[in-house]
Amino acid sequence: VTLIKRTAHDGVRMLSLANGVTNSITPALVSELNEVLSELENDSSCTGVVLTSESEKFFSIGFDLPSLFHQSPEGFLDFYRSFNRAALCLFTLPVPTLCAIPGHATAGGCILATMCDYRYIAEGRKFIGLNEIKLGVAVPYLADSALRLICGDRIATEMFYNGEFLDPAKAKEVGLVDAVLPSEELIPKALEKVASIGSYYSKAFRAIKANRIGVVRDLYANNRTHDEDTFLDLWFDEKARKGLAEAIKKF
Amino acid sequence: VTLIKRTAHDGVRMLSLANGVTNSITPALVSELNEVLSELENDSSCTGVVLTSESEKFFSIGFDLPSLFHQSPEGFLDFYRSFNRAALCLFTLPVPTLCAIPGHATAGGCILATMCDYRYIAEGRKFIGLNEIKLGVAVPYLADSALRLICGDRIATEMFYNGEFLDPAKAKEVGLVDAVLPSEELIPKALEKVASIGSYYSKAFRAIKANRIGVVRDLYANNRTHDEDTFLDLWFDEKARKGLAEAIKKF
Amino acid sequence: VTLIKRTAHDGVRMLSLANGVTNSITPALVSELNEVLSELENDSSCTGVVLTSESEKFFSIGFDLPSLFHQSPEGFLDFYRSFNRAALCLFTLPVPTLCAIPGHATAGGCILATMCDYRYIAEGRKFIGLNEIKLGVAVPYLADSALRLICGDRIATEMFYNGEFLDPAKAKEVGLVDAVLPSEELIPKALEKVASIGSYYSKAFRAIKANRIGVVRDLYANNRTHDEDTFLDLWFDEKARKGLAEAIKKF
């Protein structure tokens, strides 16, 4: 089974999430994401990455709550570590990365988008954001730090504290996305942008991107263990379980 | 004597500075602030805090220069440590906090406002800002770092280097306040905002806020001793004393 | 030979790059810059610095590629260290600093501007920015961190990844410069701004500026050796040499 469709456009690799309509994030999807990102990290012919989805309805709805809810602490910790490993690998990938968002990008879906250098979203009724506070769980530290880097404290804080989703216009206004495009232009413009930056000398780009991601990478390294403890503690918290159970009904 | 009036609005606690018209920051006020914040830190029924003032003229004019000017180095160091302890406790309080500013918030008054998650200010001729440079003293490190977090380097630098106060419209424009409201709406809207965020699961909020405040808290921990040395050195500096003496005349 | 013209305007010192039309950055220019900045650092009569250029065409075109291209690794490392020492000295100078930019400020020229507290640019067809990615070399870490501090991640990333120059209007829009002025007002306004801040107590200013520059100074200290390795590795890289050779043709 392939949950991530891969295509090559000259040096630019497009990764398209293909896990049904919602692209919910399962252990299998994360495992495949880690595999493909590790390959790309060491593929000198890769000059850039566009992350998108086959589904036009959901880029990704986030963690697959119905199945993850029933994981044991050991199983969920494995998943959480694997998810953050994939996120970090995407964040630090030494080529330009852009998330082309055709549909909703919520919770873990928004996190994946936040790990890319750029975000383009399709026009229309799409929602993007992190509603962890509404479910009663924590925001992963790496995602929190990356979104603060991109949007600044006031905007990130308002997003995390309220848990509201943003529509494309609002997401553009606050800097969460870089462009709002007609849906037929989403992929062409995304490929064009990444190809343009990817045309520069890869070794110079790698050095320049290392400066961009260094502070957040180091903060995360120092906080990883604490983050895992905090996230798991809340995930298995009795009251949070009720919020998760409610959310599962709408899945 | 109670210098801080406390009222409860369901889970939201309102702390209202009640130290005369100017709400100047005295050792007694700071001591009471530390006491009430320590209580709230450990009060599981508290879901949020609104900090405001009884006086509509001054939220707070800042340090009580006339009395603090005559403190011994030991006495002033005690006060300065106590003030920063209160500020840090407010900054890290694990519930949503909002400063509702009915009147001027200058120097130490602006610092207290900066320690909250949000700031709302009443319309009209109100001034907010840090004029330490004009007095010839230093800006406390914690306050400096928090304002840089909120407003970014260019705006914070301009405020610190020039020492000019901002009116509500300008404060909104640069991100120092989140809303400018008719004075009769100030408290209702403040309570509503904090109650809204406070309605989420407190343990999840605590985890999310920990991500927000971590970097500044750690920077301050590393710089606290140096900050105390610098602040005291300038406070008792001969030339700064002249600036303070001038400022005392206008108190 | 004097490559930097110095004039005094009361306490404000104006340093005017005078290395021909382009003000290319040579070992001799950097050496003189280090000398004059070291003097100013210890000159208690200096209340502020305006950095500008005699040439109205170029504030500075950046590194003097034609001569630096032929340096040995040892010679180039000496130059690179000396350049960063000057940049750091300018960044941390304990008086207010402003770069008054009469003409193009590209690559290393933009870096020098970024080391000042403020940047004013003359109206007209002037270009400012960092095109290192187009040449195939790295962006020095100190410059990268300072520009991120000033402009934030999204704007800095776009500048570094694309290597495009900005015109004055765009530079103002993104916060890279603080004012765009008719050329006859550039120096008077620059002197006025610095003199205004320089009129405050120098010891208080020094303490306040230390808060501004501390985080970047510490990041740079931790990354200096890695930065030197990275920059030299690329500078002498075979492919980067081709980019540099192309750029030299246009010098």
Side-chain angles (χ1 to χ4, degrees):
Chain A
V1 181
T2 297
L3 302 173
I4 301 172
K5 196 180 149 193
R6 315 174 195 189
T7 52
H9 305 257
D10 299 319
V12 179
R13 307 304 155 84
M14 191 155 80
L15 306 179
S16 197
L17 304 181
N19 192 17
V21 176
T22 62
N23 281 308
S24 71
I25 300 172
T26 58
L29 179 68
V30 167
S31 169
E32 200 172 320
L33 191 56
N34 269 308
E35 200 181 309
V36 64
L37 291 172
S38 295
E39 276 173 40
L40 292 177
E41 210 172 14
N42 298 301
D43 176 356
S44 63
S45 72
C46 168
T47 60
V49 169
V50 170
L51 178 67
T52 188
S53 64
E54 292 295 283
S55 166
E56 294 203 351
K57 201 156 177 198
F58 282 90
F59 165 69
S60 169
I61 197 174
F63 285 6
D64 187 61
L65 301 181
S67 70
L68 294 169
F69 188 81
H70 299 292
Q71 292 263 16
S72 67
E74 294 71 26
F76 187 77
L77 179 59
D78 275 352
F79 165 78
Y80 188 68
R81 284 184 172 158
S82 179
F83 174 75
N84 279 291
R85 197 160 49 241
L88 185 65
C89 190
L90 182 55
F91 183 65
T92 59
L93 214 62
V95 293
T97 55
L98 188 153
C99 191
I101 309 169
H104 307 307
T106 56
C110 182
I111 292 177
L112 290 181
T114 306
M115 295 299 124
C116 294
D117 292 322
Y118 297 96
R119 280 148 298 284
Y120 287 180
I121 196 168
E123 286 172 356
R125 198 179 161 280
K126 322 281 177 190
F127 295 114
I128 181 167
L130 291 129
N131 63 337
E132 277 75 354
I133 186 84
K134 289 189 171 183
L135 304 183
V137 297
V139 174
Y141 188 86
L142 175 59
D144 187 291
S145 302
L147 202 138
R148 291 187 171 283
L149 178 73
I150 295 165
C151 294
D153 167 68
R154 288 177 71 231
I155 285 158
T157 295
E158 187 68 356
M159 284 182 66
F160 295 138
Y161 281 17
N162 288 287
E164 299 288 346
F165 296 136
L166 282 58
D167 64 21
K170 183 71 182 169
K172 176 77 163 62
E173 185 194 322
V174 302
L176 179 56
V177 304
D178 301 290
V180 182
L181 296 164
S183 75
E184 69 275 15
E185 293 182 22
L186 182 65
I187 300 301
K189 293 279 188 193
L191 290 169
E192 185 185 317
K193 175 76 176 177
V194 169
S196 160
I197 303 172
S199 70
Y200 296 132
Y201 184 26
S202 57
K203 198 169 154 183
F205 181 84
R206 179 187 288 259
I208 288 168
K209 182 160 175 174
N211 289 347
R212 175 179 187 248
I213 52 91
V215 172
V216 167
R217 183 201 54 213
D218 293 351
L219 276 174
Y220 175 63
N222 288 334
N223 283 278
R224 193 175 64 80
T225 307
H226 178 71
D227 176 58
E228 289 171 3
D229 292 346
T230 303
F231 201 90
L232 256 77
D233 183 34
L234 268 158
W235 185 263
F236 289 100
D237 176 279
E238 200 178 339
K239 200 162 169 184
R241 295 255 113 183
K242 287 177 189 162
L244 292 170
E246 282 304 309
I248 286 169
K249 289 181 192 164
K250 295 176 213 153
F251 240 71
Chain B
V1 183
T2 298
L3 302 173
I4 301 172
K5 196 179 149 193
R6 313 173 197 191
T7 51
H9 305 256
D10 299 319
V12 180
R13 307 304 155 85
M14 191 156 78
L15 306 179
S16 197
L17 305 180
N19 193 17
V21 176
T22 61
N23 281 308
S24 71
I25 299 172
T26 58
L29 180 68
V30 167
S31 169
E32 199 171 321
L33 190 56
N34 269 309
E35 200 182 309
V36 63
L37 291 172
S38 295
E39 276 173 40
L40 292 177
E41 211 172 16
N42 297 302
D43 176 356
S44 63
S45 72
C46 168
T47 60
V49 169
V50 170
L51 178 66
T52 187
S53 64
E54 292 295 283
S55 167
E56 294 202 352
K57 201 156 178 197
F58 282 89
F59 165 69
S60 170
I61 197 173
F63 285 5
D64 187 61
L65 301 182
S67 69
L68 294 168
F69 188 82
H70 300 292
Q71 292 262 15
S72 67
E74 294 72 25
F76 187 77
L77 179 58
D78 274 352
F79 165 77
Y80 187 68
R81 283 182 172 160
S82 179
F83 173 75
N84 279 291
R85 197 159 51 239
L88 185 64
C89 191
L90 181 56
F91 184 65
T92 59
L93 212 63
V95 292
T97 56
L98 188 153
C99 191
I101 309 169
H104 307 309
T106 56
C110 182
I111 292 176
L112 290 181
T114 306
M115 295 299 124
C116 294
D117 292 321
Y118 297 97
R119 280 149 298 285
Y120 287 0
I121 197 168
E123 288 172 356
R125 197 178 161 280
K126 323 281 177 189
F127 294 114
I128 182 168
L130 291 129
N131 64 336
E132 278 75 355
I133 186 85
K134 289 189 170 182
L135 304 184
V137 297
V139 174
Y141 187 87
L142 175 60
D144 187 291
S145 302
L147 202 138
R148 292 188 171 282
L149 178 74
I150 295 166
C151 295
D153 168 68
R154 287 178 70 232
I155 285 159
T157 295
E158 187 68 355
M159 284 182 66
F160 295 139
Y161 281 17
N162 288 286
E164 299 289 344
F165 296 136
L166 283 59
D167 63 22
K170 183 71 182 169
K172 177 77 165 59
E173 185 192 323
V174 302
L176 179 56
V177 304
D178 301 290
V180 182
L181 295 164
S183 75
E184 69 275 14
E185 292 181 23
L186 182 66
I187 300 301
K189 293 279 188 194
L191 290 170
E192 185 185 317
K193 177 74 174 177
V194 170
S196 160
I197 302 172
S199 69
Y200 296 131
Y201 184 26
S202 57
K203 198 169 153 184
F205 181 84
R206 179 188 289 259
I208 288 167
K209 182 159 176 174
N211 289 348
R212 174 178 189 249
I213 53 93
V215 172
V216 167
R217 183 201 53 214
D218 294 351
L219 276 175
Y220 175 62
N222 289 334
N223 283 278
R224 193 175 65 81
T225 306
H226 179 71
D227 176 58
E228 289 171 1
D229 292 347
T230 303
F231 201 90
L232 256 77
D233 183 33
L234 268 158
W235 184 263
F236 289 100
D237 175 278
E238 199 178 341
K239 199 162 169 184
R241 294 255 112 183
K242 287 178 191 163
L244 291 170
E246 281 304 309
I248 286 169
K249 289 182 193 165
K250 294 176 214 154
F251 240 69
Chain C
V1 182
T2 298
L3 302 173
I4 301 173
K5 194 180 150 194
R6 315 175 195 188
T7 51
H9 304 257
D10 299 319
V12 179
R13 307 304 154 86
M14 190 155 79
L15 306 179
S16 198
L17 305 179
N19 193 17
V21 176
T22 62
N23 281 309
S24 71
I25 299 173
T26 58
L29 179 68
V30 167
S31 168
E32 199 172 320
L33 190 56
N34 270 308
E35 199 182 311
V36 62
L37 290 172
S38 296
E39 276 173 38
L40 291 178
E41 211 173 15
N42 297 301
D43 176 356
S44 62
S45 72
C46 168
T47 61
V49 169
V50 170
L51 178 67
T52 187
S53 64
E54 293 294 284
S55 167
E56 293 202 354
K57 202 157 178 199
F58 283 89
F59 165 69
S60 169
I61 197 174
F63 286 6
D64 187 61
L65 302 181
S67 70
L68 294 169
F69 187 81
H70 300 291
Q71 291 262 14
S72 67
E74 293 72 25
F76 186 77
L77 180 57
D78 274 353
F79 166 76
Y80 188 67
R81 284 183 171 159
S82 179
F83 174 74
N84 279 290
R85 198 160 49 239
L88 185 64
C89 191
L90 181 55
F91 184 65
T92 59
L93 213 63
V95 293
T97 55
L98 189 153
C99 191
I101 309 169
H104 306 308
T106 56
C110 183
I111 292 176
L112 290 181
T114 305
M115 295 298 125
C116 294
D117 292 321
Y118 297 96
R119 281 148 298 284
Y120 287 179
I121 196 169
E123 287 172 354
R125 198 177 161 282
K126 323 281 177 189
F127 294 114
I128 181 167
L130 291 129
N131 63 336
E132 277 75 354
I133 186 84
K134 289 189 169 182
L135 304 183
V137 298
V139 174
Y141 187 86
L142 175 59
D144 187 291
S145 302
L147 202 137
R148 290 187 172 282
L149 178 74
I150 294 166
C151 295
D153 168 66
R154 288 177 69 233
I155 285 159
T157 296
E158 187 68 356
M159 285 182 66
F160 295 138
Y161 280 18
N162 289 286
E164 298 289 344
F165 296 137
L166 283 58
D167 64 21
K170 183 72 181 166
K172 176 75 163 60
E173 185 193 323
V174 302
L176 179 56
V177 303
D178 302 289
V180 182
L181 295 164
S183 75
E184 69 275 15
E185 292 182 22
L186 182 67
I187 300 301
K189 293 280 188 194
L191 290 170
E192 185 185 317
K193 176 75 174 176
V194 170
S196 160
I197 302 172
S199 69
Y200 296 133
Y201 184 26
S202 57
K203 199 169 154 185
F205 181 83
R206 179 187 290 258
I208 288 168
K209 183 161 176 174
N211 289 348
R212 175 179 187 248
I213 53 91
V215 172
V216 167
R217 182 201 53 211
D218 294 351
L219 276 174
Y220 175 62
N222 289 334
N223 284 278
R224 193 175 66 80
T225 307
H226 179 70
D227 177 57
E228 288 170 4
D229 292 348
T230 303
F231 202 90
L232 256 76
D233 183 33
L234 269 157
W235 186 263
F236 290 99
D237 176 277
E238 199 179 339
K239 199 161 171 185
R241 295 256 112 184
K242 287 178 191 162
L244 291 170
E246 281 305 308
I248 286 169
K249 289 182 193 164
K250 295 177 213 154
F251 240 71

